[in-house]
Amino acid sequence: MKVLGITGGIGSGKSKVMEMLEKDYGAVTLLADDIGHTAMDKGTDTYKRMVEEFGPGILNKDGNIDKGILSGILMSSEEMLAIQNSIVHPYVTECINRVVRECRDKGVGLVAVESAILYEAGCDSICDEVWYVTADTDIRVQRLVSMRGYTAERAHAFIRKQKPDEFFMERCNRVIYNNGDIENLSKQLRKCIEDWNAI
């Protein structure tokens, strides 16, 4: 079984690559963001730790963590972001490791793990290769505005918070440039898969 890490900044097109890996190559796909959201579920140990660290002000009237309030806090404070990461990253890594073990036992051929913070969370250690998906900043901003309803200012703020291209280029095994259309993306992905299988 091969484990592939997919990383890249917000708006780069990681999700589309994951869709293709699942649909065209039969990969079992794991999205770190989705797993991270379950860490916020009411009653979990990670939920309790988040409330202890950030206070009840992050909760809505139903006692659930309000992701909008939390996002505002994290965007404005590197210290708070580091605290959240220290709580959520180990949970995400543990969940991913468990699913990878289960897939290996079942004889799955390819598992793809996607995370913008793959390296920071230490998930690269379980990957046979890591591929970096990137796109020009103006294209990423355009996608975030049209697809997620962000303002251009908010999109730029998110991008500035993330690691630069150089960080990923120095660490990844392959790069996918997602500035073009779906056909171009599909061709690059196919080439990466073929080259990897040829090793």
Side-chain angles (χ1 to χ4, degrees):
M1 187 182 84
K2 290 184 175 180
V3 181
L4 172 62
I6 298 292
T7 192
I10 188 170
S12 62
K14 299 185 302 298
S15 298
K16 182 56 67 176
V17 170
M18 293 295 279
E19 285 176 24
M20 291 177 170
L21 285 167
E22 183 175 33
K23 179 173 174 282
D24 301 335
Y25 301 96
V28 172
T29 55
L30 305 175
L31 307 179
D33 269 0
D34 290 351
I35 297 170
H37 289 153
T38 67
M40 306 293 177
D41 287 350
K42 190 175 180 180
T44 61
D45 288 342
T46 41
Y47 165 94
K48 292 170 185 173
R49 288 184 61 199
M50 287 293 292
V51 176
E52 285 173 9
E53 291 288 351
F54 290 86
I58 64 169
L59 303 178
N60 61 23
K61 57 180 172 48
D62 299 319
N64 296 307
I65 292 176
D66 187 309
K67 293 181 176 63
I69 294 174
L70 181 61
S71 177
I73 294 170
L74 300 179
M75 283 290 288
S76 62
S77 171
E78 292 287 343
E79 182 183 354
M80 291 294 102
L81 179 61
I83 290 171
Q84 185 215 230
N85 289 345
S86 71
I87 295 170
V88 176
H89 285 183
Y91 170 87
V92 171
T93 304
E94 182 184 336
C95 289
I96 289 172
N97 274 316
R98 186 181 69 248
V99 175
V100 167
R101 286 195 301 270
E102 291 170 356
C103 287
R104 201 179 299 278
D105 291 342
K106 292 175 183 175
V108 171
L110 176 63
V111 176
V113 179
E114 180 267 311
S115 174
I117 52 172
L118 193 81
Y119 291 106
E120 296 94 319
C123 292
D124 60 301
S125 63
I126 65 168
C127 299
D128 296 299
E129 284 204 0
V130 175
W131 299 354
Y132 175 50
V133 184
T134 187
D136 293 345
T137 299
D138 59 339
I139 292 175
R140 293 168 63 189
V141 170
Q142 185 180 356
R143 287 173 183 159
L144 293 171
V145 170
S146 63
M147 297 167 66
R148 299 198 194 181
Y150 285 17
T151 62
E153 182 180 3
R154 187 179 185 215
H156 278 289
F158 266 100
I159 290 170
R160 282 195 300 270
K161 280 278 184 184
Q162 296 182 327
K163 299 285 188 187
D165 276 349
E166 293 76 24
F167 173 86
F168 297 100
M169 298 286 193
E170 291 170 358
R171 293 165 175 79
C172 72
N173 299 95
R174 305 176 201 276
V175 181
I176 295 173
Y177 295 93
N178 188 23
N179 286 327
D181 56 19
I182 293 297
E183 185 179 352
N184 178 270
L185 181 62
S186 180
K187 284 180 181 177
Q188 289 187 73
L189 185 58
R190 189 183 312 120
K191 180 75 164 56
C192 287
I193 291 284
E194 289 171 355
D195 290 348
W196 192 21
N197 287 336
I199 294 175

